[in-house]
Structures are given as structure tokens and as C-alpha cells.
């Protein structure tokens, strides 16, 4: 019985009796360029996604300009028609009124129409114009006052990042000074554009990365390793300052997605390692430590501010998972073993703001990191794991719909059902030390419960005796006094000299 769990973004996951399987080809870009795809880009790599996005954006610009020109022509025609009518009215009114009093209202109408036309045309320019061209001086000064680089509540960290970046660029001499200047100008210009949406801000950052990489490629004469080193430092410098405006912005539904996936993972707390066919034995201390380390790393991702640092946490988490599988199986882990284990770690960790972190990496990471290499592979698998968790159902875990609903509602627990099944198999002749110990403990617990019941009955009996004892004593005293009444004889005093 095989149930495919698909997501429209190109992540195609299969659930089978032997476990969860994802074809490695499905992790690659849908356009067949050979790079890793991304769920946020509908299965495309960053390069192909940018090409498609540029085409869509260019078409949108053309449509907006066409609409603006159409509106302008209509308004000019309306203006000409109104002007002709107004001229006739003025000619008629001039015969009776010497002063052209009707020009005032028409001038206001004309001014209003002109301003509206200008606003519609400049709206198109505002979002697609270069961020560094024709910036008013006053606006630039305001941008400087709100620039993240001057935000002093994280001054120590920012100062350290600036110091490291400056020290790194000293080795480049003149190109290094130009790079620092361009980065500062970019941060200032982006900070001044508060109206930018998350996708627009992402496009600005990616454009800056691309332009900077192109310049560096010419400077280093095609040395990709040197270019990547500089771009890593550029990303760290820029995103550490733009983190507050770039991470989980209010214009997106990232926070809503965070709450949804967090609730979903809490509802799936009952999913066991056996259901996912994860080849990890947590009873082994060494393996258990690696599982804990993997959970710690994936949770730590939320504390990082730079996309490459968040990717580093994902990379360390996945390496711990591979190591745990290798320690359990005593052989190298396969990709079919890795994805179910990653899903299990995500379910156990329930990382904070998981969707926001994924979106942040997708929007603002150096695109080359998400196209090739270990980090791209691990990140793509994490996105597939999240997609699987969102779409997980009964057949995904080889359960009946009734069982799945009982587990989801909390009416039953798969751990208890599994224990009952093992007990039946043990009664048929199978031996299991763990189950034997469990049965022994249950017998001892049953004996302790019986002893407690007997002690409770004895205590109640003693309590009843203590309550009735004073009454019995009082009755016996009354009976004795009644049978042998007390007689008090008169007291006689003898004389001293009686003898």
C-alpha cells in the first residue's frame, strides 16, 4: 500500500511499509538545471526562480505602464472635453458677468485630476526604480537616523560584525573600501523604503548580491572560491543589520504559518519512531546523545540572525542525524534513512518560528548556498520534512483512518496498543526481556494495590473500634455501678484519750 504525499511546490514524498522515501531527483530544480529546488519557489532553484520572477515582474511593469498611459489618455480626453464645455460656459457667462468667477472651481478640478494622474504614474515607478537613484537629501538623512547600523540596542554585536567585516576587507585594499561603501549605501537606501513588502525587499537584496558577485568575479578573474568568501562576509554584514525588518515582517503571514505548524506538531506528539521506520535506537547512550544534539541544533537556528548561520545549525543537526543512524546500523546512512529521521527530529523538537526561519533563509540567503552543496541538500530535505508533516495522514503512517483519528483526538495512544500486541506475541512463545520486565513490574504493582486495599480495610476497622470503645467502656462502668452501688459510711472521729 503506497500513499504519495505531494505538495505543489515539487516536493514529492512517498510513504511505504519500509518507511518514508523521497526520490533524490525530486529534490532538484523542476527545470532540470541540476541545482537543488526549493519549496518556497515551487520546486525551482533560486536562479530559475529569479528568471521567472523577472519575467513576471517585467510583464507587470509593462501592464502597469500601459494602464497608466490609458488612464492618462482618458483623463486628457476628459480634460479637453471639459475645457471645451467650460469655454462655452465662460463665453455665455461673460455676457452677463464681467468677472470670470467660474475659473476657480475649474482650476481646482484640473489640479486634482493632474495630481491623481501623477500619483498613478509614479506609483509604478516607485516600486521598480533603482534604490540608489535620485534620493532626496532630506530622505537620505531620515534613512540614516533609522538605519539598523546605528540602532544602539544591539551596538556591541553590530560593532563586532563591523569590525570583523572591516578587518576582512583590508586584505582587498581599494576594492575592499568600495565594497564597504556599497554595502553601507545599500543598507541606508533600503532602510529608507519602509513601504517595501517582503518579496520586494528580498528582490532588492538578491539584486545587490548578484551585482556584487558580478563585480567580484571580474576582480578575482573567475575565482569562485574568493568570490564566495567575500559574499559570505557581505551577507553577514548586511543581514545582521536588516534582521529586524527582514525577519517575519508584518506584511507577511509568516507568524500565522508558525502558529499553524507548531500546533500541527503538538497534535502529532503521539507519532512514534517505529511509525516513521527510523533506524535509530535511542536506548544506546551514544545515539541518544546525538539525537539530543540534533534537537538542540535545530532549535538553536531561531537564535541566529544571519541566513548562513541558520543554515549552519541545520547542517549540524543533519550531521548528528547521519551519525546517529551510522552508530545504530554500523554502516553509512542512506538518503532513505535520513528523511524519516529528520521528520522525527522536527516532531520531537518543534522548533520555534520554523516557517519564519525557512522563509528568511529563502528570501535573504546567498542564492549559491541554496543551489549546490551540503547545506542546500539539508535545507531542501528540511523543507520536504515540513511539507510531509503538514500533509501527514493515516495512510502516511500505515494506519487506518479510525486509528489515526483516535490518536489525534487523544482517545488512544499507539504506545499502549503496541505494548498489548507485544504481550499477545509473548504469550504465543516469543520472549522479550523488556516485556518480561514490564510484566513483572505489573505483577508487583498489582500485589501492592491488593496490599494497600487490605491495609485500608484494616485501618477503617481500627477507626471504627476506636469510635465505639468509649461507649463500651461507659456501658460497662454503668452496669458495675448499678450492680454494686457505692455506699458511703459516716465518718467517726475517735477521742484522743479514748484508751
Amino acid at each position: 500500500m503506497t500513499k504519495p504525499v505531494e505538495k505543489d511546490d515539487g516536493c514529492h514524498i512517498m510513504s511505504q511499509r519500509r518507511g518514508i522515501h523521497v526520490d533524490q531527483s525530486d529534490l532538484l530544480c523542476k527545470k532540470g538545471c541540476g541545482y537543488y529546488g526549493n519549496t518556497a519557489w515551487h520546486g525551482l532553484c533560486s536562479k530559475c526562480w529569479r528568471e521567472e520572477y523577472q519575467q513576471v515582474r517585467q510583464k507587470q511593469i509593462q501592464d502597469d505602464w500601459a494602464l497608466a498611459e490609458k488612464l492618462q489618455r482618458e483623463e486628457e480626453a476628459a480634460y479637453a472635453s471639459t475645457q471645451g464645455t467650460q469655454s462655452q460656459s465662460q463665453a455665455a457667462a461673460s455676457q452677463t458677468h464681467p468677472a470670470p468667477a467660474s475659473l476657480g472651481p475649474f482650476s481646482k478640478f484640473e489640479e486634482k485630476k493632474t495630481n491623481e494622474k501623477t500619483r498613478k504614474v509614479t506609483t509604478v515607478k516607485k516600486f521598480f526604480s533603482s534604490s540608489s537613484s535620485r534620493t532626496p537629501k532630506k530622505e537620505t538623512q531620515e534613512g540614516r537616523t533609522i538605519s539598523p547600523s546605528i540602532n544602539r540596542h544591539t551596538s556591541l554585536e553590530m560593532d563586532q560584525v563591523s569590525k570583523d567585516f572591516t578587518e576582512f576587507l583590508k586584505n582587498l585594499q581599494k576594492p575592499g573600501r568600495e565594497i564597504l561603501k556599497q554595502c553601507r549605501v545599500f543598507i541606508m537606501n533600503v532602510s529608507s523604503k519602509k513601504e517595501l513588502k517582503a518579496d520586494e525587499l528580498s528582490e532588492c537584496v538578491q539584486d545587490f548580491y548578484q551585482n556584487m558577485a558580478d563585480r567580484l568575479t571580474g576582480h578575482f578573474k573567475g575565482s569562485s572560491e574568493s568570490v564566495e568568501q567575500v559574499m559570505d562576509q557581505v551577507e553577514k554584514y548586511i543581514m545582521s543589520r536588516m534582521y529586524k525588518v527582514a525577519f517575519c515582517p508584518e506584511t507577511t503571514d509568516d507568524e500565522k504559518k508558525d502558529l499553524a505548524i507548531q500546533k500541527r506538531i503538538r497534535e502529532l506528539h503521539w507519532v512514534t519512531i517505529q511509525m516513521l521506520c527510523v533506524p535509530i535506537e535511542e536506548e544506546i547512550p551514544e545515539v541518544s546523545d546525538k539525537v539530543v544534539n540534533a534537537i538542540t541544533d535545530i532549535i538553536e537556528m531561531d537564535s541566529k540572525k544571519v541566513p548562513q548561520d541558520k543554515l549552519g545549525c541545520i547542517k549540524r543537526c543533519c550531521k548528528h542525524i547521519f551519525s546517529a543512524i551510522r552508530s545504530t546500523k554500523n554502516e553509512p546512512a542512506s538518503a532513505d534513512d535520513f528523511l524519516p529521521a529528520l521528520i522525527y527530529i522536527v516532531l520531537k523538537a518543534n522548533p520555534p518560528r520554523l516557517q519564519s526561519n525557512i522563509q528568511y533563509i529563502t528570501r535573504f540567503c546567498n542564492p549559491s548556498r541554496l543551489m549546490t552543496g551540503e547545506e542546500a541538500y539539508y535545507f531542501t530535505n528540511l523543507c520536504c520534512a515540513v511539507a510531509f508533516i503538514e500533509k501527514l495522514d493515516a495512510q502516511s503512517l500505515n494506519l487506518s483512518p479510525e486509528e489515526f483519528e483516535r490518536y489525534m483526538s487523544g482517545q488512544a495512544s499507539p504506545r499502549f496498543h503496541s505494548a498489548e500486541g507485544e504481550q499477545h506475541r509473548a504469550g504465543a512463545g516469543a520472549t522479550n526481556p523488556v516485556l518480561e520486565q514490564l510484566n513483572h513490574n505489573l505483577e508487583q504493582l498489582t500485589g501492592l494495590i491488593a496490599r494497600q486495599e487490605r491495609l485500608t480495610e484494616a485501618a477503617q476497622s481500627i477507626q471504627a473500634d476506636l469510635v465505639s470503645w468509649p461507649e463500651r467502656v461507659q456501658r460497662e462502668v454503668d452496669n458495675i455501678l448499678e450492680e454494686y452501688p457505692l455506699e458511703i459510711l459516716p465518718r467517726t472521729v475517735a477521742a484522743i484519750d479514748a484508751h
Side-chain angles (χ1 to χ4, degrees):
M1 184 74 176
T2 301
K3 168 81 167 55
V5 181
E6 298 186 3
K7 196 174 179 65
D8 294 336
D9 47 27
C11 184
H12 180 85
I13 303 175
M14 305 291 292
S15 174
Q16 300 178 342
R17 288 289 176 187
R18 62 182 179 87
I20 301 164
H21 171 70
V22 57
D23 293 332
Q24 295 304 297
S25 59
D26 291 333
L27 299 179
L28 301 178
C29 178
K30 290 169 63 177
K31 285 201 168 184
C33 64
Y35 296 124
Y36 285 111
N38 190 287
T39 56
W41 297 326
H42 306 290
L44 301 179
C45 67
S46 61
K47 180 176 178 294
C48 295
W49 169 254
R50 279 175 59 79
E51 290 176 354
E52 285 208 355
Y53 182 83
Q54 291 287 355
Q55 294 176 1
V56 173
R57 191 178 73 164
Q58 188 63 31
K59 185 178 183 302
Q60 183 65 40
I61 292 175
Q62 293 175 355
D63 293 343
D64 289 343
W65 275 108
L67 177 61
E69 291 175 355
K70 179 181 177 182
L71 291 174
Q72 184 177 1
R73 288 194 299 269
E74 291 177 353
E75 290 172 356
E76 289 175 350
Y79 170 72
S81 176
T82 306
Q83 189 177 26
T85 305
Q86 189 66 25
S87 298
Q88 295 177 1
S89 301
Q90 289 177 359
S94 62
Q95 299 177 0
T96 57
H97 299 282
S102 61
L103 290 177
F106 176 74
S107 298
K108 292 181 179 180
F109 171 79
E110 179 184 359
E111 181 181 0
K112 180 179 179 182
K113 285 291 184 181
T114 303
N115 292 338
E116 184 178 356
K117 178 180 66 177
T118 304
R119 178 180 58 80
K120 292 179 179 179
V121 174
T122 55
T123 299
V124 180
K125 297 180 180 179
K126 180 176 61 174
F127 289 104
F128 303 107
S129 61
S130 175
S131 60
S132 60
S133 61
R134 294 189 295 273
T135 304
K137 183 175 181 180
K138 181 178 179 182
E139 185 177 349
T140 303
Q141 294 295 337
E142 292 177 356
R144 287 178 181 172
T145 58
I146 61 173
S147 173
S149 61
I150 314 177
N151 202 336
R152 287 302 152 190
H153 72 280
T154 55
S155 59
L156 294 178
E157 183 178 358
M158 295 300 101
D159 290 344
Q160 185 61 42
V161 171
S162 298
K163 181 179 178 181
D164 295 341
F165 189 52
T166 305
E167 289 295 327
F168 174 81
L169 293 178
K170 283 182 179 180
N171 299 325
L172 303 179
Q173 298 178 353
K174 184 177 179 180
R177 292 193 295 271
E178 181 64 22
I179 291 172
L180 180 60
K181 178 182 176 182
Q182 292 295 326
C183 290
R184 288 176 175 174
V185 171
F186 174 76
I187 294 173
M188 183 174 59
N189 289 335
V190 170
S191 300
S192 65
K193 294 185 177 181
K194 294 184 177 181
E195 74 280 0
L196 287 179
K197 297 180 180 179
D199 292 339
E200 295 168 346
L201 180 59
S202 172
E203 187 66 17
C204 289
V205 173
Q206 296 297 331
D207 284 341
F208 180 78
Y209 286 160
Q210 186 63 48
N211 294 333
M212 182 66 69
D214 292 342
R215 293 183 183 181
L216 292 173
T217 301
H219 173 73
F220 290 112
K221 302 185 186 314
S223 176
S224 59
E225 183 178 353
S226 300
V227 173
E228 289 300 320
Q229 289 179 354
V230 178
M231 289 306 300
D232 288 344
Q233 295 297 323
V234 169
E235 177 193 312
K236 185 175 182 179
Y237 179 76
I238 289 177
M239 296 315 303
S240 61
R241 282 157 174 74
M242 293 178 54
Y243 176 77
K244 278 214 160 185
V245 296
F247 185 84
C248 192
E250 296 180 356
T251 57
T252 66
D253 59 349
D254 292 351
E255 185 177 1
K256 181 179 179 181
K257 291 180 179 178
D258 288 334
L259 296 175
I261 190 64
Q262 207 167 39
K263 179 182 178 182
R264 177 67 172 171
I265 292 176
R266 283 199 301 266
E267 291 174 346
L268 296 171
H269 66 91
W270 49 267
V271 176
T272 64
I273 198 170
Q274 292 79 16
M275 289 180 177
L276 298 172
C277 298
V278 179
I280 290 179
E281 294 291 341
E282 292 187 86
E283 292 78 10
I284 303 175
E286 179 184 1
V287 175
S288 178
D289 292 340
K290 291 173 181 177
V291 169
V292 172
N293 291 335
I295 293 173
T296 302
D297 286 329
I298 196 67
I299 292 176
E300 187 182 0
M301 173 179 62
D302 186 59
S303 65
K304 304 299 181 181
K305 293 186 177 180
V306 183
Q308 60 183 274
D309 292 340
K310 292 181 181 292
L311 280 177
C313 292
I314 297 174
K315 180 180 178 180
R316 291 193 298 273
C317 168
C318 294
K319 283 187 173 295
H320 284 307
I321 292 174
F322 272 109
S323 181
I325 297 174
R326 185 170 58 251
S327 298
T328 301
K329 299 177 64 177
N330 293 321
E331 62 182 23
S334 66
D336 291 338
D337 295 331
F338 168 65
L339 182 59
L342 180 58
I343 295 172
Y344 177 68
I345 293 298
V346 173
L347 288 174
K348 288 199 70 174
N350 198 357
R353 301 191 291 187
L354 179 58
Q355 290 285 9
S356 290
N357 282 287
I358 291 177
Q359 292 297 327
Y360 180 72
I361 294 172
T362 301
R363 291 168 183 153
F364 302 107
C365 185
N366 186 350
S368 62
R369 285 182 173 270
L370 302 182
M371 294 167 64
T372 58
E374 278 187 310
E375 293 175 337
Y377 173 76
Y378 295 144
F379 182 69
T380 304
N381 274 275
L382 176 61
C383 294
C384 288
V386 174
F388 177 84
I389 291 173
E390 290 175 339
K391 298 293 184 180
L392 188 144
D393 58 10
Q395 289 187 347
S396 302
L397 300 175
N398 298 312
L399 298 174
S400 66
E402 292 76 15
E403 286 179 314
F404 185 82
E405 289 301 324
R406 286 201 302 271
Y407 296 155
M408 290 293 289
S409 63
Q411 297 177 357
S413 173
R415 294 173 177 83
F416 295 148
H417 285 199
S418 176
E420 291 176 0
E422 292 293 339
Q423 286 179 12
H424 289 304
R425 286 193 292 272
T431 59
N432 188 315
V434 176
L435 292 177
E436 289 180 358
Q437 182 65 36
L438 179 61
N439 291 329
H440 177 69
N441 292 341
L442 288 175
E443 291 176 359
Q444 286 189 331
L445 181 61
T446 303
L448 290 174
I449 292 174
R451 289 181 59 186
Q452 183 180 11
E453 291 176 351
R454 290 195 298 270
L455 288 174
T456 302
E457 293 176 357
Q460 292 175 349
S461 175
I462 293 174
Q463 184 178 9
D465 291 341
L466 290 175
V467 171
S468 61
W469 179 76
E471 298 177 356
R472 292 199 305 272
V473 172
Q474 184 64 40
R475 285 197 299 271
E476 291 179 2
V477 170
D478 293 341
N479 292 335
I480 293 173
L481 290 176
E482 183 179 356
E483 184 176 357
Y484 304 101
L486 179 63
E487 295 181 2
I488 301 176
L489 300 176
R491 181 179 180 182
T492 57
V493 179
I496 298 176
D497 55 351
H499 301 285

